[in-house]
């Protein structure tokens, strides 16, 4: 049973506009959340994270929002750039040793 | 360059053959992990090693064995490969410093096909 869900397999956005990627989770014990970005033929690379004690974390063009009551998080990319085109994975953690990943959303930024 | 190195990058096996995927990290990380990625499934944890000398099962350990050879190296072995093990395998290690204590650094992946 998938504990972390990304219900949109793909998203297309015009360059310069905002990209919003969504993620839902079912386990209320998750206390740390991460977003990873993956290019073809490469491993996932860490993008941004948020602890459950916060509801927002920002790093340059990337902002992650956490709504614990809804068990929902989202990644905002503003402005979107063609180099942002990749697969984005949401991941959640409870305790020290396992990240549970979503199925990924393929973002295409159209020049 | 510092990071996680996996070998081989590609491998084709016949059902019943055995093979070992190798992983090494040069970042002095304590914890290492093996994940598999399948279409529509995300990444799922096979085994992990929280520190040198220890290994534990993850979500999908059946059909695999691991060895934490030393602090740098963590290998994944398929004793008798099955078509269901066709996948892309990722090795990862976990950062030690407090600011990034939950961040995993991944290798580039090993694509395995079992015929």
């Amino acid at each position: 049973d998938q504990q972390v869900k990304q219900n949109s397999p793909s998203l297309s956005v015009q360059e310069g506009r905002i990209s919003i990627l969504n993620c839902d989770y079912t386990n209320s014990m998750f206390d740390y959340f991460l977003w990873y970005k993956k290019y073809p033929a490469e491993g996932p690379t860490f993008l941004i994270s948020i602890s459950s004690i916060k509801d927002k974390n920002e790093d340059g063009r990337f902002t992650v929002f956490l709504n614990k009551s809804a068990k929902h998080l989202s990644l905002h990319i503003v402005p979107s750039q063609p180099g942002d085109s990749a697969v984005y994975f949401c991941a959640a953690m409870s305790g020290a040793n396992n990240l549970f990943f979503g199925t990924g959303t393929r973002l295409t930024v159209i020049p | 360059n510092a990071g996680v190195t996996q070998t081989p990058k590609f491998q084709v096996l016949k059902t019943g053959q055995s093979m070992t995927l190798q992983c090494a990290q040069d970042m002095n990380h304590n914890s290492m992990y093996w994940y598999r990625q399948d279409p529509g499934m995300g990444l799922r944890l096979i085994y992990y090693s929280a520190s040198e000398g220890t290994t534990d099962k993850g979500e999908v350990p059946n059909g695999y064995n691991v060895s934490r050879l030393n602090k740098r190296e963590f290998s994944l072995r398929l004793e008798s490969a099955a078509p269901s093990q066709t996948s892309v395998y990722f090795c990862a290690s976990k950062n030690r410093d407090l600011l990034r204590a939950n961040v995993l650094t991944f290798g580039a992946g090993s694509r395995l096909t079992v015929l």
Side-chain angles (χ1 to χ4, degrees):
Chain A
D1 190 27
Q2 197 78 18
Q3 297 191 55
V4 178
K5 299 178 183 178
Q6 294 176 256
N7 292 319
S8 298
S10 62
L11 174 68
S12 291
V13 171
Q14 287 290 135
E15 181 178 3
R17 306 293 292 269
I18 184 171
S19 295
I20 300 176
L21 294 91
N22 293 303
C23 177
D24 297 293
Y25 61 95
T26 58
N27 189 340
S28 58
M29 298 301 291
F30 287 146
D31 57 6
Y32 200 81
F33 304 88
L34 305 90
W35 284 93
Y36 278 82
K37 177 178 177 179
K38 186 182 179 303
Y39 293 117
E42 295 183 10
T45 55
F46 170 71
L47 191 58
I48 192 169
S49 62
I50 188 167
S51 164
S52 60
I53 63 173
K54 295 186 175 182
D55 55 19
K56 177 183 175 181
N57 188 27
E58 195 170 350
D59 183 2
R61 296 185 297 114
F62 303 92
T63 303
V64 56
F65 295 92
L66 175 62
N67 182 335
K68 288 188 293 292
S69 61
K71 294 190 179 69
H72 178 83
L73 65 156
S74 60
L75 174 68
H76 293 207
I77 306 173
V78 183
S80 301
Q81 299 173 354
D84 296 330
S85 296
V87 177
Y88 289 79
F89 289 98
C90 168
M93 169 177 276
S94 139
N97 283 313
N98 192 9
L99 279 182
F100 291 89
F101 284 84
T103 52
T105 296
R106 181 178 302 278
L107 173 66
T108 302
V109 180
I110 304 163
Chain B
N1 292 335
V4 179
T5 303
Q6 294 181 229
T7 55
K9 292 193 188 307
F10 301 95
Q11 183 73 48
V12 178
L13 291 177
K14 294 181 180 176
T15 297
Q17 287 185 317
S18 62
M19 78 156 299
T20 300
L21 299 177
Q22 307 285 355
C23 175
Q25 54 91 9
D26 57 7
M27 298 172 286
N28 201 31
H29 289 174
N30 285 330
S31 303
M32 297 185 72
Y33 304 78
W34 276 105
Y35 283 86
R36 59 179 289 176
Q37 184 193 6
D38 301 294
M41 298 294 289
L43 285 85
R44 292 179 294 167
L45 182 65
I46 305 170
Y47 269 93
Y48 68 95
S49 170
S51 62
E52 187 178 354
T54 70
T55 60
D56 286 285
K57 295 178 180 179
E59 300 172 68
V60 288
N62 291 344
Y64 305 95
N65 286 303
V66 290
S67 295
R68 183 73 183 268
L69 304 170
N70 48 56
K71 190 170 186 179
R72 289 186 64 245
E73 298 172 291
F74 188 37
S75 63
L76 179 72
R77 182 160 179 84
L78 288 71
E79 291 290 352
S80 178
S84 60
Q85 294 178 303
T86 294
S87 188
V88 181
Y89 292 85
F90 290 99
C91 178
S93 64
K94 188 194 261 188
N95 210 302
R96 295 177 69 186
D97 66 80
L98 289 177
L99 284 178
R100 290 166 61 93
N102 290 322
V103 174
L104 298 187
T105 300
F106 284 86
S110 299
R111 183 176 293 275
L112 175 65
T113 302
V114 183
L115 302 175

